[in-house]
Short mmCIF file of all heavy atoms in Angstrom, two decimals:
data_model
loop_
_atom_site.label_atom_id
_atom_site.label_comp_id
_atom_site.label_asym_id
_atom_site.label_seq_id
_atom_site.Cartn_x
_atom_site.Cartn_y
_atom_site.Cartn_z
N MET A 1 101.19 79.17 75.33
CA MET A 1 100.07 79.85 74.76
C MET A 1 100.53 80.61 73.52
O MET A 1 101.56 81.27 73.54
CB MET A 1 99.47 80.82 75.76
CG MET A 1 98.80 80.13 76.94
SD MET A 1 97.98 81.28 78.02
CE MET A 1 99.36 81.79 79.01
N LYS A 2 99.75 80.51 72.48
CA LYS A 2 100.10 81.17 71.23
C LYS A 2 99.27 82.46 71.09
O LYS A 2 98.05 82.42 71.11
CB LYS A 2 99.82 80.23 70.05
CG LYS A 2 100.22 80.81 68.73
CD LYS A 2 99.96 79.84 67.60
CE LYS A 2 100.33 80.53 66.30
NZ LYS A 2 99.87 79.81 65.15
N PRO A 3 99.96 83.60 70.94
CA PRO A 3 99.24 84.87 70.83
C PRO A 3 98.76 85.14 69.41
O PRO A 3 99.31 84.61 68.44
CB PRO A 3 100.30 85.89 71.22
CG PRO A 3 101.57 85.26 70.77
CD PRO A 3 101.40 83.78 70.99
N LYS A 4 97.72 85.95 69.29
CA LYS A 4 97.23 86.41 67.98
C LYS A 4 97.88 87.77 67.73
O LYS A 4 97.35 88.81 68.11
CB LYS A 4 95.72 86.58 68.00
CG LYS A 4 94.92 85.32 68.02
CD LYS A 4 93.44 85.67 67.95
CE LYS A 4 92.58 84.45 68.06
NZ LYS A 4 91.16 84.81 68.11
N GLY A 5 99.03 87.76 67.09
CA GLY A 5 99.80 88.97 66.87
C GLY A 5 99.07 90.03 66.08
O GLY A 5 99.07 91.22 66.44
N SER A 6 98.40 89.63 65.00
CA SER A 6 97.70 90.62 64.17
C SER A 6 96.54 91.25 64.93
O SER A 6 96.24 92.43 64.75
CB SER A 6 97.23 89.99 62.87
OG SER A 6 96.36 88.90 63.13
N MET A 7 95.91 90.48 65.80
CA MET A 7 94.81 91.01 66.62
C MET A 7 95.36 92.04 67.61
O MET A 7 94.77 93.10 67.81
CB MET A 7 94.11 89.87 67.36
CG MET A 7 93.00 90.34 68.27
SD MET A 7 91.54 90.91 67.41
CE MET A 7 90.80 89.34 67.00
N ILE A 8 96.49 91.72 68.22
CA ILE A 8 97.12 92.64 69.17
C ILE A 8 97.46 93.95 68.48
O ILE A 8 97.14 95.03 68.98
CB ILE A 8 98.38 92.00 69.81
CG1 ILE A 8 97.97 90.81 70.68
CG2 ILE A 8 99.16 93.04 70.62
CD1 ILE A 8 99.12 89.95 71.15
N ARG A 9 98.06 93.86 67.30
CA ARG A 9 98.44 95.05 66.55
C ARG A 9 97.19 95.87 66.18
O ARG A 9 97.17 97.09 66.33
CB ARG A 9 99.20 94.70 65.29
CG ARG A 9 99.49 95.94 64.44
CD ARG A 9 100.26 95.61 63.20
NE ARG A 9 101.65 95.45 63.58
CZ ARG A 9 102.55 94.80 62.88
NH1 ARG A 9 102.23 94.24 61.74
NH2 ARG A 9 103.79 94.72 63.30
N GLY A 10 96.17 95.20 65.70
CA GLY A 10 94.95 95.90 65.30
C GLY A 10 94.30 96.64 66.46
O GLY A 10 93.87 97.79 66.30
N ILE A 11 94.23 96.00 67.60
CA ILE A 11 93.63 96.64 68.78
C ILE A 11 94.49 97.82 69.22
O ILE A 11 93.99 98.90 69.52
CB ILE A 11 93.45 95.62 69.92
CG1 ILE A 11 92.42 94.55 69.52
CG2 ILE A 11 93.01 96.33 71.21
CD1 ILE A 11 92.38 93.36 70.46
N ARG A 12 95.81 97.59 69.27
CA ARG A 12 96.71 98.66 69.69
C ARG A 12 96.59 99.87 68.78
O ARG A 12 96.43 101.01 69.26
CB ARG A 12 98.17 98.16 69.68
CG ARG A 12 99.17 99.25 70.04
CD ARG A 12 100.60 98.78 69.96
NE ARG A 12 101.03 98.34 68.65
CZ ARG A 12 101.36 99.15 67.63
NH1 ARG A 12 101.28 100.46 67.77
NH2 ARG A 12 101.76 98.66 66.48
N GLN A 13 96.61 99.65 67.49
CA GLN A 13 96.51 100.76 66.55
C GLN A 13 95.13 101.42 66.62
O GLN A 13 95.02 102.64 66.54
CB GLN A 13 96.80 100.28 65.13
CG GLN A 13 98.26 99.92 64.95
CD GLN A 13 98.56 99.34 63.58
OE1 GLN A 13 97.68 98.84 62.88
NE2 GLN A 13 99.82 99.40 63.19
N GLY A 14 94.09 100.61 66.78
CA GLY A 14 92.74 101.14 66.90
C GLY A 14 92.57 102.04 68.12
O GLY A 14 91.76 102.97 68.10
N ARG A 15 93.32 101.76 69.15
CA ARG A 15 93.26 102.57 70.37
C ARG A 15 94.24 103.74 70.33
O ARG A 15 94.34 104.51 71.29
CB ARG A 15 93.53 101.71 71.59
CG ARG A 15 92.50 100.61 71.77
CD ARG A 15 92.50 100.08 73.17
NE ARG A 15 91.70 98.89 73.36
CZ ARG A 15 90.39 98.84 73.37
NH1 ARG A 15 89.69 99.91 73.17
NH2 ARG A 15 89.76 97.70 73.58
N GLY A 16 94.98 103.84 69.23
CA GLY A 16 95.92 104.95 69.07
C GLY A 16 97.15 104.84 69.96
O GLY A 16 97.77 105.84 70.30
N LEU A 17 97.52 103.61 70.30
CA LEU A 17 98.70 103.38 71.15
C LEU A 17 99.92 103.10 70.29
O LEU A 17 99.86 102.28 69.37
CB LEU A 17 98.48 102.17 72.07
CG LEU A 17 97.51 102.32 73.22
CD1 LEU A 17 97.33 100.97 73.90
CD2 LEU A 17 98.00 103.34 74.21
N SER A 18 101.01 103.73 70.61
CA SER A 18 102.28 103.40 69.95
C SER A 18 102.90 102.21 70.68
O SER A 18 102.50 101.87 71.79
CB SER A 18 103.23 104.60 70.03
OG SER A 18 103.58 104.85 71.38
N LEU A 19 103.89 101.61 70.04
CA LEU A 19 104.61 100.53 70.72
C LEU A 19 105.31 101.06 71.97
O LEU A 19 105.40 100.36 72.98
CB LEU A 19 105.64 99.88 69.78
CG LEU A 19 105.09 98.83 68.83
CD1 LEU A 19 106.17 98.38 67.84
CD2 LEU A 19 104.55 97.63 69.57
N ARG A 20 105.79 102.28 71.91
CA ARG A 20 106.43 102.89 73.10
C ARG A 20 105.46 102.98 74.28
O ARG A 20 105.81 102.70 75.42
CB ARG A 20 106.92 104.29 72.77
CG ARG A 20 108.31 104.34 72.30
CD ARG A 20 108.77 105.79 72.17
NE ARG A 20 109.75 105.91 71.12
CZ ARG A 20 111.03 105.67 71.29
NH1 ARG A 20 111.48 105.31 72.46
NH2 ARG A 20 111.87 105.78 70.29
N LYS A 21 104.24 103.40 73.97
CA LYS A 21 103.24 103.55 75.03
C LYS A 21 102.85 102.18 75.59
O LYS A 21 102.69 102.01 76.80
CB LYS A 21 102.01 104.27 74.49
CG LYS A 21 101.16 104.87 75.56
CD LYS A 21 100.18 105.87 74.96
CE LYS A 21 100.19 107.09 75.84
NZ LYS A 21 99.33 108.14 75.36
N LEU A 22 102.71 101.19 74.69
CA LEU A 22 102.39 99.84 75.15
C LEU A 22 103.54 99.29 75.98
O LEU A 22 103.31 98.61 76.99
CB LEU A 22 102.09 98.93 73.96
CG LEU A 22 101.54 97.55 74.29
CD1 LEU A 22 100.24 97.63 75.08
CD2 LEU A 22 101.34 96.73 73.02
N GLU A 23 104.76 99.59 75.59
CA GLU A 23 105.94 99.18 76.36
C GLU A 23 105.87 99.77 77.77
O GLU A 23 106.10 99.07 78.76
CB GLU A 23 107.20 99.66 75.66
CG GLU A 23 108.48 99.38 76.42
CD GLU A 23 109.70 99.96 75.74
OE1 GLU A 23 109.65 101.12 75.28
OE2 GLU A 23 110.73 99.25 75.68
N ALA A 24 105.53 101.04 77.87
CA ALA A 24 105.46 101.70 79.17
C ALA A 24 104.34 101.11 80.04
O ALA A 24 104.50 100.96 81.25
CB ALA A 24 105.23 103.20 78.98
N GLN A 25 103.24 100.75 79.41
CA GLN A 25 102.10 100.22 80.17
C GLN A 25 102.29 98.77 80.60
O GLN A 25 101.75 98.36 81.62
CB GLN A 25 100.82 100.36 79.35
CG GLN A 25 100.38 101.79 79.17
CD GLN A 25 99.10 101.90 78.35
OE1 GLN A 25 98.54 100.90 77.90
NE2 GLN A 25 98.64 103.12 78.16
N THR A 26 103.04 98.01 79.82
CA THR A 26 103.20 96.58 80.13
C THR A 26 104.51 96.25 80.83
O THR A 26 104.61 95.21 81.47
CB THR A 26 103.14 95.73 78.84
OG1 THR A 26 104.22 96.11 77.98
CG2 THR A 26 101.81 95.88 78.12
N GLY A 27 105.52 97.11 80.64
CA GLY A 27 106.84 96.79 81.16
C GLY A 27 107.58 95.79 80.29
O GLY A 27 108.65 95.32 80.65
N LEU A 28 107.00 95.48 79.13
CA LEU A 28 107.64 94.55 78.19
C LEU A 28 108.43 95.34 77.16
O LEU A 28 108.01 96.41 76.73
CB LEU A 28 106.58 93.69 77.50
CG LEU A 28 105.73 92.81 78.42
CD1 LEU A 28 104.60 92.16 77.64
CD2 LEU A 28 106.58 91.76 79.10
N ASN A 29 109.54 94.80 76.72
CA ASN A 29 110.42 95.44 75.76
C ASN A 29 109.70 95.70 74.44
O ASN A 29 108.98 94.84 73.94
CB ASN A 29 111.63 94.54 75.55
CG ASN A 29 112.60 95.09 74.55
OD1 ASN A 29 112.41 94.89 73.36
ND2 ASN A 29 113.62 95.77 75.03
N ARG A 30 109.92 96.88 73.86
CA ARG A 30 109.28 97.28 72.61
C ARG A 30 109.62 96.31 71.47
O ARG A 30 108.77 95.97 70.66
CB ARG A 30 109.71 98.70 72.26
CG ARG A 30 109.01 99.31 71.10
CD ARG A 30 109.32 100.80 70.96
NE ARG A 30 110.73 101.06 70.67
CZ ARG A 30 111.55 101.75 71.46
NH1 ARG A 30 111.11 102.26 72.59
NH2 ARG A 30 112.80 101.94 71.13
N GLY A 31 110.86 95.84 71.42
CA GLY A 31 111.26 94.87 70.40
C GLY A 31 110.48 93.57 70.53
O GLY A 31 110.05 92.98 69.54
N TYR A 32 110.30 93.13 71.77
CA TYR A 32 109.52 91.91 72.03
C TYR A 32 108.08 92.11 71.57
O TYR A 32 107.50 91.23 70.92
CB TYR A 32 109.58 91.57 73.52
CG TYR A 32 108.67 90.42 73.92
CD1 TYR A 32 109.07 89.11 73.71
CD2 TYR A 32 107.43 90.65 74.49
CE1 TYR A 32 108.24 88.04 74.05
CE2 TYR A 32 106.60 89.60 74.84
CZ TYR A 32 107.01 88.31 74.63
OH TYR A 32 106.19 87.26 74.97
N LEU A 33 107.50 93.26 71.90
CA LEU A 33 106.12 93.54 71.51
C LEU A 33 105.98 93.58 69.99
O LEU A 33 104.99 93.08 69.44
CB LEU A 33 105.65 94.87 72.12
CG LEU A 33 105.49 94.87 73.63
CD1 LEU A 33 105.30 96.29 74.15
CD2 LEU A 33 104.34 93.98 74.06
N SER A 34 106.96 94.14 69.31
CA SER A 34 106.94 94.19 67.86
C SER A 34 106.98 92.78 67.26
O SER A 34 106.22 92.45 66.36
CB SER A 34 108.12 95.02 67.34
OG SER A 34 108.14 95.01 65.94
N ARG A 35 107.86 91.95 67.79
CA ARG A 35 107.95 90.55 67.32
C ARG A 35 106.66 89.80 67.63
O ARG A 35 106.21 88.98 66.82
CB ARG A 35 109.15 89.85 67.95
CG ARG A 35 110.48 90.33 67.42
CD ARG A 35 111.65 89.48 67.87
NE ARG A 35 111.73 89.28 69.31
CZ ARG A 35 112.28 90.12 70.18
NH1 ARG A 35 112.83 91.25 69.75
NH2 ARG A 35 112.31 89.85 71.46
N LEU A 36 106.07 90.09 68.76
CA LEU A 36 104.80 89.48 69.15
C LEU A 36 103.71 89.80 68.12
O LEU A 36 103.01 88.91 67.64
CB LEU A 36 104.39 89.99 70.53
CG LEU A 36 103.14 89.42 71.17
CD1 LEU A 36 103.36 87.98 71.58
CD2 LEU A 36 102.75 90.25 72.39
N GLU A 37 103.62 91.07 67.74
CA GLU A 37 102.62 91.49 66.77
C GLU A 37 102.86 90.91 65.38
O GLU A 37 101.91 90.66 64.63
CB GLU A 37 102.61 93.02 66.65
CG GLU A 37 102.04 93.71 67.85
CD GLU A 37 101.95 95.21 67.69
OE1 GLU A 37 102.50 95.77 66.74
OE2 GLU A 37 101.28 95.83 68.54
N ARG A 38 104.11 90.69 65.03
CA ARG A 38 104.45 90.15 63.70
C ARG A 38 104.39 88.63 63.65
O ARG A 38 104.68 88.03 62.62
CB ARG A 38 105.83 90.63 63.28
CG ARG A 38 105.83 92.10 62.92
CD ARG A 38 107.20 92.57 62.48
NE ARG A 38 108.03 92.73 63.67
CZ ARG A 38 109.33 92.54 63.71
NH1 ARG A 38 109.99 92.16 62.66
NH2 ARG A 38 110.01 92.71 64.83
N GLY A 39 104.01 88.01 64.76
CA GLY A 39 103.88 86.55 64.78
C GLY A 39 105.19 85.82 64.94
O GLY A 39 105.26 84.62 64.69
N GLN A 40 106.24 86.51 65.35
CA GLN A 40 107.55 85.88 65.52
C GLN A 40 107.73 85.27 66.90
O GLN A 40 108.72 84.60 67.14
CB GLN A 40 108.65 86.89 65.22
CG GLN A 40 108.65 87.33 63.78
CD GLN A 40 109.70 88.38 63.50
OE1 GLN A 40 110.23 89.02 64.41
NE2 GLN A 40 110.01 88.58 62.23
N VAL A 41 106.78 85.51 67.79
CA VAL A 41 106.81 84.90 69.12
C VAL A 41 105.76 83.79 69.09
O VAL A 41 104.56 84.06 68.99
CB VAL A 41 106.49 85.92 70.23
CG1 VAL A 41 106.43 85.24 71.59
CG2 VAL A 41 107.52 87.04 70.24
N ARG A 42 106.20 82.56 69.12
CA ARG A 42 105.29 81.42 69.00
C ARG A 42 104.57 81.10 70.31
O ARG A 42 103.42 80.68 70.30
CB ARG A 42 106.06 80.18 68.55
CG ARG A 42 106.74 80.36 67.23
CD ARG A 42 105.79 80.15 66.11
NE ARG A 42 106.50 80.28 64.84
CZ ARG A 42 105.96 80.82 63.77
NH1 ARG A 42 104.74 81.27 63.81
NH2 ARG A 42 106.65 80.90 62.66
N GLU A 43 105.26 81.28 71.41
CA GLU A 43 104.69 80.99 72.73
C GLU A 43 104.89 82.19 73.63
O GLU A 43 105.97 82.78 73.66
CB GLU A 43 105.37 79.77 73.36
CG GLU A 43 105.09 78.47 72.64
CD GLU A 43 103.67 77.99 72.81
OE1 GLU A 43 103.11 78.12 73.92
OE2 GLU A 43 103.11 77.46 71.84
N VAL A 44 103.85 82.54 74.37
CA VAL A 44 103.93 83.66 75.30
C VAL A 44 103.50 83.17 76.68
O VAL A 44 102.62 82.34 76.80
CB VAL A 44 103.06 84.85 74.81
CG1 VAL A 44 101.60 84.49 74.81
CG2 VAL A 44 103.30 86.09 75.62
N GLY A 45 104.18 83.68 77.70
CA GLY A 45 103.84 83.29 79.06
C GLY A 45 102.55 83.94 79.51
O GLY A 45 102.11 84.97 78.97
N SER A 46 101.92 83.36 80.50
CA SER A 46 100.63 83.88 80.97
C SER A 46 100.76 85.29 81.53
O SER A 46 99.86 86.12 81.36
CB SER A 46 100.02 82.94 82.01
OG SER A 46 100.88 82.79 83.12
N GLU A 47 101.89 85.60 82.17
CA GLU A 47 102.08 86.94 82.72
C GLU A 47 102.20 87.99 81.62
O GLU A 47 101.61 89.06 81.70
CB GLU A 47 103.33 86.97 83.61
CG GLU A 47 103.64 88.33 84.21
CD GLU A 47 102.55 88.88 85.13
OE1 GLU A 47 101.73 88.10 85.64
OE2 GLU A 47 102.51 90.12 85.33
N GLN A 48 102.94 87.67 80.57
CA GLN A 48 103.07 88.60 79.45
C GLN A 48 101.73 88.81 78.76
O GLN A 48 101.36 89.94 78.44
CB GLN A 48 104.10 88.09 78.42
CG GLN A 48 105.52 88.20 78.87
CD GLN A 48 105.98 87.00 79.69
OE1 GLN A 48 105.22 86.11 80.02
NE2 GLN A 48 107.25 86.99 80.03
N LEU A 49 100.99 87.73 78.57
CA LEU A 49 99.67 87.83 77.95
C LEU A 49 98.73 88.69 78.81
O LEU A 49 98.01 89.54 78.30
CB LEU A 49 99.08 86.43 77.75
CG LEU A 49 97.74 86.40 77.02
CD1 LEU A 49 97.94 86.72 75.55
CD2 LEU A 49 97.08 85.04 77.18
N ARG A 50 98.78 88.48 80.11
CA ARG A 50 97.93 89.25 81.02
C ARG A 50 98.26 90.73 80.95
O ARG A 50 97.37 91.58 80.90
CB ARG A 50 98.11 88.75 82.46
CG ARG A 50 97.17 89.43 83.45
CD ARG A 50 97.57 89.15 84.89
NE ARG A 50 98.88 89.70 85.23
CZ ARG A 50 99.13 91.00 85.43
NH1 ARG A 50 98.18 91.89 85.31
NH2 ARG A 50 100.35 91.41 85.75
N ARG A 51 99.54 91.05 80.91
CA ARG A 51 99.96 92.46 80.85
C ARG A 51 99.48 93.15 79.57
O ARG A 51 98.99 94.27 79.61
CB ARG A 51 101.48 92.57 80.90
CG ARG A 51 102.08 92.27 82.24
CD ARG A 51 103.56 92.46 82.15
NE ARG A 51 104.26 91.99 83.33
CZ ARG A 51 105.55 92.15 83.52
NH1 ARG A 51 106.29 92.74 82.59
NH2 ARG A 51 106.13 91.71 84.60
N VAL A 52 99.62 92.46 78.43
CA VAL A 52 99.20 93.04 77.16
C VAL A 52 97.68 93.21 77.14
O VAL A 52 97.17 94.26 76.75
CB VAL A 52 99.68 92.18 75.97
CG1 VAL A 52 99.08 92.66 74.66
CG2 VAL A 52 101.21 92.19 75.89
N ALA A 53 96.96 92.19 77.56
CA ALA A 53 95.50 92.27 77.59
C ALA A 53 95.02 93.40 78.49
O ALA A 53 94.11 94.16 78.13
CB ALA A 53 94.90 90.94 78.04
N ALA A 54 95.64 93.54 79.65
CA ALA A 54 95.25 94.60 80.58
C ALA A 54 95.52 95.98 79.99
O ALA A 54 94.69 96.89 80.10
CB ALA A 54 96.00 94.44 81.91
N ALA A 55 96.66 96.14 79.33
CA ALA A 55 97.00 97.43 78.73
C ALA A 55 96.05 97.78 77.59
O ALA A 55 95.75 98.96 77.37
CB ALA A 55 98.44 97.41 78.22
N LEU A 56 95.57 96.76 76.87
CA LEU A 56 94.66 96.99 75.76
C LEU A 56 93.19 97.01 76.19
O LEU A 56 92.30 97.27 75.40
CB LEU A 56 94.86 95.92 74.67
CG LEU A 56 96.23 95.91 73.99
CD1 LEU A 56 96.32 94.72 73.04
CD2 LEU A 56 96.49 97.21 73.27
N HIS A 57 92.95 96.67 77.46
CA HIS A 57 91.59 96.62 78.03
C HIS A 57 90.71 95.61 77.29
O HIS A 57 89.58 95.91 76.91
CB HIS A 57 90.94 98.00 78.02
CG HIS A 57 91.75 99.04 78.73
ND1 HIS A 57 91.87 99.07 80.11
CD2 HIS A 57 92.49 100.06 78.26
CE1 HIS A 57 92.66 100.08 80.44
NE2 HIS A 57 93.05 100.69 79.34
N VAL A 58 91.27 94.41 77.08
CA VAL A 58 90.53 93.33 76.42
C VAL A 58 90.70 92.05 77.24
O VAL A 58 91.68 91.90 77.98
CB VAL A 58 91.01 93.09 74.97
CG1 VAL A 58 90.77 94.31 74.10
CG2 VAL A 58 92.46 92.67 74.92
N PRO A 59 89.78 91.10 77.09
CA PRO A 59 89.96 89.81 77.75
C PRO A 59 91.15 89.06 77.14
O PRO A 59 91.39 89.18 75.93
CB PRO A 59 88.65 89.06 77.49
CG PRO A 59 87.78 89.95 76.69
CD PRO A 59 88.52 91.20 76.37
N GLU A 60 91.84 88.30 77.95
CA GLU A 60 93.01 87.56 77.47
C GLU A 60 92.65 86.64 76.31
O GLU A 60 93.41 86.49 75.37
CB GLU A 60 93.63 86.76 78.60
CG GLU A 60 94.26 87.63 79.67
CD GLU A 60 94.77 86.85 80.86
OE1 GLU A 60 95.00 85.62 80.72
OE2 GLU A 60 94.94 87.45 81.92
N GLY A 61 91.48 86.04 76.36
CA GLY A 61 91.06 85.10 75.32
C GLY A 61 90.97 85.73 73.94
O GLY A 61 91.10 85.05 72.93
N LEU A 62 90.75 87.04 73.90
CA LEU A 62 90.63 87.73 72.61
C LEU A 62 91.96 87.77 71.85
O LEU A 62 91.97 87.74 70.62
CB LEU A 62 90.11 89.16 72.83
CG LEU A 62 89.81 89.97 71.58
CD1 LEU A 62 88.67 89.33 70.79
CD2 LEU A 62 89.43 91.39 71.95
N ILE A 63 93.06 87.80 72.56
CA ILE A 63 94.37 87.89 71.92
C ILE A 63 95.14 86.58 72.00
O ILE A 63 96.31 86.51 71.68
CB ILE A 63 95.21 89.06 72.49
CG1 ILE A 63 95.44 88.88 73.99
CG2 ILE A 63 94.56 90.38 72.18
CD1 ILE A 63 96.41 89.90 74.59
N LEU A 64 94.45 85.52 72.37
CA LEU A 64 95.05 84.19 72.48
C LEU A 64 94.51 83.31 71.37
O LEU A 64 93.30 83.23 71.17
CB LEU A 64 94.73 83.59 73.84
CG LEU A 64 95.31 82.22 74.16
CD1 LEU A 64 96.83 82.26 74.12
CD2 LEU A 64 94.83 81.76 75.52
N ASP A 65 95.39 82.67 70.64
CA ASP A 65 95.00 81.77 69.56
C ASP A 65 94.72 80.41 70.16
O ASP A 65 95.63 79.64 70.43
CB ASP A 65 96.11 81.69 68.50
CG ASP A 65 95.67 80.98 67.26
OD1 ASP A 65 94.48 80.58 67.17
OD2 ASP A 65 96.49 80.81 66.36
N GLU A 66 93.45 80.14 70.39
CA GLU A 66 93.06 78.87 70.99
C GLU A 66 92.54 77.94 69.92
O GLU A 66 91.34 77.82 69.72
CB GLU A 66 92.00 79.09 72.06
CG GLU A 66 92.48 79.99 73.19
CD GLU A 66 91.40 80.25 74.20
OE1 GLU A 66 90.54 81.09 73.91
OE2 GLU A 66 91.43 79.61 75.25
N GLU A 67 93.47 77.33 69.20
CA GLU A 67 93.10 76.40 68.14
C GLU A 67 92.50 75.16 68.77
O GLU A 67 93.05 74.60 69.72
CB GLU A 67 94.31 76.03 67.30
CG GLU A 67 94.89 77.20 66.56
CD GLU A 67 96.13 76.80 65.75
OE1 GLU A 67 96.39 75.59 65.64
OE2 GLU A 67 96.80 77.70 65.26
N THR A 68 91.38 74.75 68.24
CA THR A 68 90.75 73.52 68.75
C THR A 68 90.97 72.40 67.75
O THR A 68 90.98 72.61 66.55
CB THR A 68 89.24 73.74 68.97
OG1 THR A 68 88.65 74.18 67.74
CG2 THR A 68 88.99 74.76 70.05
N THR A 69 91.15 71.23 68.26
CA THR A 69 91.32 70.07 67.39
C THR A 69 90.01 69.30 67.34
O THR A 69 89.34 69.15 68.36
CB THR A 69 92.45 69.17 67.91
OG1 THR A 69 92.19 68.82 69.26
CG2 THR A 69 93.79 69.84 67.81
N PRO A 70 89.66 68.81 66.17
CA PRO A 70 88.37 68.08 66.02
C PRO A 70 88.38 66.76 66.73
O PRO A 70 89.33 66.18 67.08
CB PRO A 70 88.23 67.89 64.52
CG PRO A 70 89.53 68.24 63.89
CD PRO A 70 90.36 68.93 64.93
#
């Protein structure tokens, strides 16, 4: 699954969450979260995606890049 890093960052900042706080809420490493937001993580596991979505209080689909092919 490909995450929407810029969307994750925008939501996190809009909610006033620091990377440290998101790290504490998800249990995911702050460096990993930073790379995720910058688009350096091409594939994310379903568990990691679920944790981030839950911490941001958004549906998983909102932060998942679901490219459709014609």
Side-chain angles (χ1 to χ4, degrees):
M1 291 185 277
K2 183 179 177 192
K4 288 183 184 175
S6 59
M7 177 72 79
I8 294 169
R9 175 179 281 160
I11 295 169
R12 177 183 61 78
Q13 290 176 339
R15 298 199 190 287
L17 288 174
S18 66
L19 277 173
R20 269 187 210 277
K21 200 165 225 179
L22 189 59
E23 176 184 44
Q25 291 180 0
T26 62
L28 299 172
N29 179 276
R30 187 170 64 242
Y32 173 80
L33 292 169
S34 177
R35 289 189 308 276
L36 184 70
E37 289 184 349
R38 288 181 283 148
Q40 295 177 342
V41 176
R42 301 278 183 216
E43 293 290 321
V44 65
S46 59
E47 178 62 21
Q48 287 86 354
L49 184 72
R50 185 193 64 74
R51 288 182 189 185
V52 172
L56 296 175
H57 304 288
V58 297
E60 292 175 21
L62 185 64
I63 59 173
L64 182 60
D65 190 3
E66 299 177 282
E67 296 178 10
T68 56
T69 55

